[in-house]
Amino acid sequence: MTITEHPLVARARLLAAELLVPEAERVDQEGVPASHVEAVKRSGLLGLTAPAEYGGSAAPPAVVREVSEILAGACGSTWFVQSQHHTPVQVLARGEPAAPERLLGPLARGELLSGVAYAQLRAHPKAPVRAHHDGTGWRFDGRVPWCTGWGLNDVLLLAGLTDDEEAVFAFVEAREQPGLRPSAPLRLAALTAARTVSLELDGLRVPDDSLALRIPYAQWAPTDRAKTLNTNPAVFGIAAAALSLLADDTASPLRTRLADIRTRAYALADHPSPLDRVDERLAVRAEAYAALNTATTAAMVAGGGRAMSLTSRAQRLAREGMFLLIQGQTAETRRAHLEALAR
């Protein structure tokens, strides 16, 4: 079976063709509706990376990437909301014993959608969110700058740093509650539709049985770093969608260039040592962003004055491409990208 014949890829293509692409411009302006989330849940794609014994698909990396490309190219906002879900699933699969038994099955089967609130750990040695155990559970204090899917997620994977430099991950209900107050939805240049808020935490209490993972920060950080070094598959999905708006004589050489970068990026992602060849990973990542920018710029140019309309697919893709420039960004990736641009 080839990747394109895989049942999960077929489901993603069907969801994209029947729902996500036709509704994408409206969603971009009005927000991801609950009905889109329900459709993603029914598709089985939320269990993409979940263990089979919990009802998931345990799909190979190539299938996971292909599905991500399809969804991102169809509707960036819906892709981004559902993309948050897969990290909590992976954390549960290797974390504390109590939380998986209670949550992994519903998350793997698409009965629940999870968001994330852990990117603030990348601000280390600063600690925007502190966690400490008070004898009966965990208390979280501080500010989460970004939390996507608010009002759509059922649960949230929240992270904080202890005084002993441990990263603590726990699940909380994704709703306003004592100790947790969301901001108004953030107005962003792109993906406002994904319903992103910030969270103020003031003594949020979380019981021990909601703990997902407790790990020394020094042990967690290299794993997180490895994820940020590789090219996000959404880059290739959005670039391909932009190229589909061009005439073949314009698109053909750009597709060839994009395919070459994609092949090299995914070969690096599959390398058995995720922190080897760092410079090469960052260089290919920057190449991918350059190709994405070229593709979306070409779509805008081809669209002419019509591309300035908020109903323009080319403009939406250009803004979504702009968003990917900073999504998952770290000081290391920012520095490498800026150096590539300066060259």
Side-chain angles (χ1 to χ4, degrees):
M1 180 189 299
T2 67
I3 296 301
T4 56
E5 294 172 335
H6 195 283
L8 292 170
V9 172
R11 286 185 221 170
R13 291 196 185 282
L14 186 65
L15 180 66
E18 292 189 347
L19 178 65
L20 301 187
V21 171
E23 295 287 318
E25 277 64 62
R26 182 181 67 81
V27 166
D28 177 59
Q29 294 303 304
E30 299 178 9
V32 176
S35 56
H36 270 45
V37 171
E38 290 305 314
V40 175
K41 287 180 174 179
R42 290 194 303 271
S43 73
L45 296 176
L46 291 183
L48 199 62
T49 63
E53 59 267 31
Y54 285 91
S57 300
V63 170
V64 174
R65 293 191 292 253
E66 184 80 10
V67 168
S68 184
E69 286 186 24
I70 293 167
L71 298 184
C75 176
S77 294
T78 303
W79 160 76
F80 192 49
V81 169
Q82 67 80 40
S83 72
Q84 315 293 300
H85 179 88
H86 302 293
T87 295
V89 167
Q90 293 161 15
V91 168
L92 277 177
R94 60 183 174 87
E96 299 291 323
E101 293 303 321
R102 184 165 57 86
L103 284 173
L104 190 47
L107 292 172
R109 295 188 295 269
E111 296 163 10
L112 297 175
L113 177 70
S114 181
V116 296
Y118 75 88
Q120 63 274 5
L121 289 178
R122 293 173 181 153
H124 186 270
K126 297 178 181 177
V129 175
R130 282 287 182 186
H132 76 267
H133 197 267
D134 62 7
T136 59
W138 290 89
R139 172 178 171 139
F140 289 83
D141 293 276
R143 182 175 183 272
V144 175
W146 305 100
C147 178
T148 293
W150 192 258
L152 298 170
N153 297 319
D154 301 295
V155 294
L156 187 67
L157 181 66
L158 171 66
L161 197 66
T162 70
D163 291 339
D164 295 328
E165 294 285 286
E166 280 190 312
V168 174
F169 295 79
F171 279 90
V172 300
E173 291 185 28
R175 60 175 177 81
E176 185 169 359
Q177 55 189 287
L180 188 159
R181 186 176 70 257
S183 71
L186 303 179
R187 294 291 298 169
L188 306 172
L191 274 71
T192 288
R195 304 195 192 187
T196 298
V197 299
S198 60
L199 302 175
E200 297 296 333
L201 307 175
D202 183 13
L204 175 66
R205 291 187 52 76
V206 180
D208 282 331
D209 65 359
S210 292
L211 184 68
L213 180 67
R214 184 177 177 183
I215 184 173
Y217 178 85
Q219 184 178 336
W220 173 82
T223 302
D224 181 66
R225 179 188 178 218
K227 290 193 299 184
T228 65
L229 295 174
N230 291 318
T231 308
N232 188 331
V235 169
F236 301 112
I238 292 176
L243 293 180
S244 73
L245 302 179
L246 303 177
D248 283 344
D249 59 341
T250 303
S252 181
L254 300 178
R255 285 197 182 99
T256 300
R257 176 187 173 196
L258 189 69
D260 170 66
I261 298 169
R262 182 179 184 268
T263 297
R264 288 184 283 125
Y266 288 169
L268 288 166
D270 288 334
H271 191 281
S273 300
L275 291 176
D276 278 0
R277 299 165 71 177
V278 168
D279 289 344
E280 186 178 356
R281 292 176 195 270
L282 291 171
V284 171
R285 188 176 186 272
E287 276 191 79
Y289 283 129
L292 171 62
N293 181 63
T294 299
T296 56
T297 299
M300 288 288 292
V301 171
R306 295 185 304 277
M308 291 308 296
S309 168
L310 290 176
T311 60
S312 162
R313 187 181 182 199
Q315 187 199 100
R316 173 179 59 81
L317 292 169
R319 287 187 285 107
E320 290 172 355
M322 178 179 66
F323 170 82
L324 291 181
L325 296 177
I326 56 88
Q327 192 262 330
Q329 186 185 65
T330 65
E332 180 179 30
T333 60
R334 181 188 301 113
R335 182 170 56 252
H337 194 176
L338 289 172
E339 288 174 354
L341 290 171
R343 288 194 297 272

